[in-house]
Amino acid sequence: MKKFEEKTVMSQPIFQGRVISLKVDDVQLPNGATAKREIVNHPGAVAVIAFTAEGKLVVVEQYRKALERSIVEIPAGKLEPEEQPAATARRELEEETGYACKELTYLQTFATSPGFADEVIHLFIARGLTPVQEKAALDDDEFVELMEITLQEAEAMMASGAIYDAKTAYAVMWWKNQK
Amino acid sequence: MKKFEEKTVMSQPIFQGRVISLKVDDVQLPNGATAKREIVNHPGAVAVIAFTAEGKLVVVEQYRKALERSIVEIPAGKLEPEEQPAATARRELEEETGYACKELTYLQTFATSPGFADEVIHLFIARGLTPVQEKAALDDDEFVELMEITLQEAEAMMASGAIYDAKTAYAVMWWKNQK
């Protein structure tokens, strides 16, 4: 869908980082006027709604520097170049939780912040979890704590703000709908 | 919650834009090692789940340069300095849809991309919509098309990808849970 398309007149690269890059585009608006768009490019990510045999949701607590606090999230991670989202989902689930999964089902993709970023998250559902013998290593700069929670606990964490990010909030709402 | 806190050792400002700014922080990790964190600062936003008297959801289609396509979203917008979220919600609803609302209820706040941005969205529910006599002006660079959709239509738009952002996906899932 290209309704109200904003054509790029000029694109200025500002920053190229390890995770994101930033550019400022001059665009031509539908009425012919021009405007500036500040755009963050991100490789995209996956997130996994993983259930234990007891029907609990697997979540990890981790510190988020951007928020200056730790929050409880479903396992997630960035896509590596050329990596298929399903492979990323299995990798991140194993790295962050120590679980492999028998079943992995694609649920949905959404953009997290379309006003300024191209990041999308591919959501998967994982069932049939089995602890891996040799737990894969986390990234060097990653510290997470594993938890397994009921829907009631998840809703309480939403209410308290312990669960505080869009993908996990969506996952909890989706879960509630399955009941 | 400060578990696994990452203390700032140095903070380097990279970019100060109209909407976002970017910095790179050197942080000290829980194990004493250091790492870099690329962080986008955003003023925060509101989004409004607004229902017409017929029980339809009010949505707007708009072009999102970051995604290079138009998507269908619930009305939303950035917080202005010193503005209370509820006031932003009423203002954005009126600007984007031409509706004032009698009832505005706070639902929830979530962070959209905690891995690299501090953006949070405050979600509100609006009911008792009345068309305003003198429709408030959109921002100069804003072009939107108003639609009013049923839950069934919303779910079809999720399936087709017309609805494609986290806040609107969450809103649809929340709505489904109310039924």
Side-chain angles (χ1 to χ4, degrees), chain B residues 53-73:
Chain B
E54 300 77 38
K56 290 186 174 181
L57 180 69
V58 179
V59 290
V60 291
E61 182 171 353
Q62 63 186 309
Y63 196 78
R64 290 303 201 172
K65 185 64 185 170
L67 304 177
E68 292 291 12
R69 55 171 287 214
S70 58
I71 59 176
V72 174
E73 298 171 59

Side-chain angles (χ1 to χ4, degrees), chain B:
Chain B
M1 297 194 293
K2 292 283 186 185
K3 194 184 284 180
F4 307 129
E5 182 171 1
E6 300 179 349
K7 293 207 163 68
T8 307
V9 177
M10 205 182 74
S11 185
Q12 186 189 0
I14 303 284
F15 173 77
Q16 176 66 55
R18 199 174 55 91
V19 177
I20 56 175
S21 60
L22 174 69
K23 64 180 179 178
V24 177
D25 282 3
D26 290 324
V27 301
Q28 186 173 36
L29 300 172
N31 65 359
T34 55
K36 286 197 184 291
R37 298 288 182 235
E38 299 156 12
I39 295 169
V40 172
N41 290 118
H42 182 282
V46 301
V48 187
I49 306 173
F51 294 106
T52 66
E54 300 77 38
K56 290 186 174 181
L57 180 69
V58 179
V59 290
V60 291
E61 182 171 353
Q62 63 186 309
Y63 196 78
R64 290 303 201 172
K65 185 64 185 170
L67 304 177
E68 292 291 12
R69 55 171 287 214
S70 58
I71 59 176
V72 174
E73 298 171 59
I74 55 174
K78 287 184 297 295
L79 291 166
E80 297 292 337
E82 309 295 311
E83 194 178 36
Q84 290 300 309
T88 316
R90 287 181 184 277
R91 180 175 55 72
E92 288 290 343
L93 180 65
E94 199 172 316
E95 284 178 13
E96 293 195 352
T97 73
Y99 282 123
C101 68
K102 291 205 174 70
E103 283 173 54
L104 187 74
T105 315
Y106 172 74
L107 179 61
Q108 191 185 329
T109 298
F110 52 61
T112 54
S113 298
F116 67 90
D118 69 349
E119 185 196 35
V120 297
I121 295 183
H122 308 286
L123 276 167
F124 288 85
I125 302 155
R127 297 184 194 272
L129 304 185
T130 50
V132 290
Q133 295 292 338
E134 196 78 25
K135 193 174 173 301
L138 285 167
D139 291 343
D140 283 349
D141 61 353
E142 220 175 2
F143 296 82
V144 306
E145 180 172 297
L146 184 65
M147 277 176 278
E148 297 176 1
I149 61 175
T150 63
L151 176 57
Q152 201 179 1
E153 288 165 341
E155 291 189 282
M157 284 180 170
M158 292 259 288
S160 76
I163 287 177
Y164 193 65
D165 74 304
K167 67 182 178 302
T168 307
Y170 181 84
V172 171
M173 204 49 80
W174 175 86
W175 188 13
K176 201 173 167 182
N177 252 313
Q178 306 303 302
K179 297 274 172 171

Side-chain angles (χ1 to χ4, degrees), chain A residues 118-140:
Chain A
D118 70 349
E119 185 196 34
V120 296
I121 295 183
H122 307 288
L123 276 168
F124 289 86
I125 301 155
R127 296 184 195 271
L129 304 186
T130 50
V132 290
Q133 296 292 338
E134 196 78 26
K135 193 173 174 300
L138 284 167
D139 291 343
D140 283 348

Side-chain angles (χ1 to χ4, degrees), chain A residues 46 79 82-93 104 124:
Chain A
V46 302
L79 290 166
E82 309 294 312
E83 193 178 36
Q84 290 300 310
T88 315
R90 287 182 183 277
R91 182 175 54 74
E92 289 289 344
L93 181 64
L104 187 74
F124 289 86

Side-chain angles (χ1 to χ4, degrees), chain A residues 3-176:
Chain A
K3 193 182 284 179
F4 306 129
E5 183 172 0
E6 301 179 348
K7 293 209 162 68
T8 306
V9 178
M10 205 183 74
S11 187
Q12 186 189 1
I14 304 284
F15 173 77
Q16 176 67 55
R18 200 175 53 92
V19 177
I20 57 174
S21 61
L22 173 69
K23 63 180 180 178
V24 177
D25 282 4
D26 291 323
V27 300
Q28 186 172 37
L29 301 172
N31 66 358
T34 56
K36 287 196 183 293
R37 299 288 181 237
E38 299 156 12
I39 295 170
V40 171
N41 290 119
H42 182 282
V46 302
V48 188
I49 306 173
F51 294 105
T52 65
E54 301 77 38
K56 290 186 174 180
L57 180 69
V58 179
V59 290
V60 291
E61 182 171 353
Q62 64 185 308
Y63 195 79
R64 291 303 201 173
K65 185 63 186 171
L67 304 177
E68 293 290 10
R69 54 172 287 213
S70 58
I71 59 176
V72 174
E73 298 172 59
I74 55 174
K78 288 184 298 295
L79 290 166
E80 297 294 335
E82 309 294 312
E83 193 178 36
Q84 290 300 310
T88 315
R90 287 182 183 277
R91 182 175 54 74
E92 289 289 344
L93 181 64
E94 200 172 316
E95 284 178 12
E96 293 196 352
T97 74
Y99 282 122
C101 68
K102 292 205 174 70
E103 284 174 52
L104 187 74
T105 316
Y106 172 73
L107 178 61
Q108 190 186 328
T109 298
F110 53 60
T112 53
S113 298
F116 69 89
D118 70 349
E119 185 196 34
V120 296
I121 295 183
H122 307 288
L123 276 168
F124 289 86
I125 301 155
R127 296 184 195 271
L129 304 186
T130 50
V132 290
Q133 296 292 338
E134 196 78 26
K135 193 173 174 300
L138 284 167
D139 291 343
D140 283 348
D141 62 352
E142 221 174 3
F143 296 82
V144 307
E145 180 173 297
L146 185 65
M147 278 176 278
E148 299 178 0
I149 60 175
T150 63
L151 177 56
Q152 201 179 0
E153 287 164 342
E155 291 189 281
M157 284 180 170
M158 292 258 289
S160 75
I163 288 178
Y164 192 66
D165 74 304
K167 66 180 179 305
T168 308
Y170 181 84
V172 172
M173 205 47 81
W174 174 85
W175 189 12
K176 201 173 169 181

